[in-house]
């Protein structure tokens, strides 16, 4: 007959282990859960280095002006200029649906007037023909 003190004890054999493992598994999201999480937001100045890297991966330039970014899997995977234009996206991640969503949201924001420059009327500067003749 076996005595309790001879049986191996540890976190795997204790009665509390199954409950503890379940709680731990629920605390850490699985890769499937991370890939299903999606965030659409306006780009911030702190995102510049990530966006430049993303543009380099896409073999394109970083679009000018405000950008709408899409985060998937814990990082920025695509960006669309609010003013319209070509999107940049990670070529190693499936981003076609994400880019479509970003373009749709950018169009909605443009219709609401978000991202438009609020400039006053253009005031022409007085010409200086004498200065122009000296330089030329």
């Amino acid at each position: 007959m076996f005595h309790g003190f001879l049986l191996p004890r540890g976190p795997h054999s204790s009665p509390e282990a199954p409950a503890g493992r379940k709680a731990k598994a629920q605390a850490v999201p699985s890769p499937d859960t991370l890939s299903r999480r999606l965030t659409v937001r306006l780009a911030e100045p702190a995102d510049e280095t990530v966006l430049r890297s993303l543009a380099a991966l896409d073999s394109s330039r970083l679009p000018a002006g405000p950008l709408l970014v899409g985060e998937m899997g814990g990082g920025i995977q695509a960006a669309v200029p609010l003013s319209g234009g070509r999107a940049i996206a990670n070529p190693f991640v499936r981003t076609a649906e994400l880019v479509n969503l970003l373009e749709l949201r950018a169009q909605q924001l443009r219709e609401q007037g978000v991202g438009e420059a609020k400039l006053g009327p253009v005031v022409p500067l007085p010409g200086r023909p004498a200065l122009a003749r000296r330089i030329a």
Side-chain angles (χ1 to χ4, degrees):
M1 175 169 270
F2 290 104
H3 296 286
F5 68 91
L6 294 176
L7 294 175
R9 292 270 181 194
H12 300 294
S13 62
S14 67
E16 302 86 30
R21 272 188 249 145
K22 283 183 185 177
K24 193 176 204 180
Q26 290 172 353
V28 178
S30 69
D32 292 336
T33 305
L34 281 176
S35 66
R36 284 183 266 151
R37 287 187 185 171
L38 175 68
T39 303
V40 174
R41 63 177 176 84
L42 290 172
E44 300 171 352
D47 298 326
E48 185 177 359
T49 55
V50 174
L51 289 169
R52 288 195 185 281
S53 299
L54 184 64
L57 273 177
D58 194 26
S59 300
S60 62
R61 292 183 180 188
L62 184 64
L67 297 173
L68 194 63
V69 297
E71 293 181 354
M72 230 175 31
I76 296 175
Q77 302 299 331
V80 172
L82 270 183
S83 60
R86 186 180 180 282
I88 57 172
N90 187 342
F92 302 108
V93 176
R94 184 176 169 188
T95 55
E97 294 87 1
L98 178 60
V99 169
N100 288 338
L101 179 67
L102 289 173
E103 288 173 344
L104 177 65
R105 183 62 181 143
Q107 180 183 358
Q108 291 171 344
L109 291 173
R110 278 192 303 271
E111 289 171 359
Q112 294 175 358
V114 176
E116 290 180 0
K118 303 290 184 196
L119 299 176
V122 176
V123 179
L125 295 175
R128 292 193 159 178
L131 180 62
R133 274 183 257 144
R134 279 189 234 147
I135 295 175

